[in-house]
Amino acid sequence: NGLLFVADPLFHRILVVDAKDGTFVRMIKECAGFYKLISPCGVAFTPSGQLLISDSGKSRLIMVEHNGTFVRTIGRKGDGLGSFKFPTCLAATPRNCTDAVLAVTD
């Protein structure tokens, strides 16, 4: 849709800019009662268009709509399955029309 989503871990936000001219459009930082980003390091889109954010400072992933509306949290702090220490890079690759494979660097 012509927008570029950029992780800004120093200021705890995702910047959304126009891909053509770099104009600032908005930022995603928090959704009261659902999440407040701490050092987000990576972003990726699911095949259905939802944004995945590696909320590195809180050892989890956040899934939001492209406008920042909260969808769900994925993972928790720890060492076991479904747990993260400091997730950074993300990639969501389509497996078929409705599913995706999610790769996370932790």
Side-chain angles (χ1 to χ4, degrees):
N1 64 2
L3 297 176
L4 184 62
F5 291 72
V6 181
D8 183 3
L10 185 62
F11 290 102
H12 312 290
R13 63 191 179 179
I14 304 299
L15 295 174
V16 184
V17 296
D18 185 292
K20 290 181 183 175
D21 63 12
T23 304
F24 173 81
V25 176
R26 67 178 172 275
M27 76 175 135
I28 299 171
K29 191 168 183 158
E30 64 183 290
C31 183
F34 294 103
Y35 69 88
K36 182 175 182 181
L37 298 176
I38 303 294
S39 298
C41 289
V43 294
F45 279 94
T46 67
S48 59
Q50 293 162 320
L51 178 66
L52 292 165
I53 302 168
S54 60
D55 192 8
S56 304
K58 290 192 176 176
S59 305
R60 64 184 182 179
L61 307 181
I62 299 291
M63 181 183 286
V64 299
E65 299 295 342
H66 63 85
N67 63 1
T69 302
F70 178 79
V71 175
R72 63 182 275 202
T73 300
I74 301 170
R76 62 193 172 283
K77 187 173 185 168
D79 292 321
L81 291 175
S83 300
F84 302 104
K85 288 187 178 188
F86 197 80
T88 53
C89 300
L90 302 173
T93 55
R95 185 184 319 177
N96 60 37
C97 295
T98 57
D99 294 332
V101 174
L102 175 62
V104 181
T105 303
D106 185 24

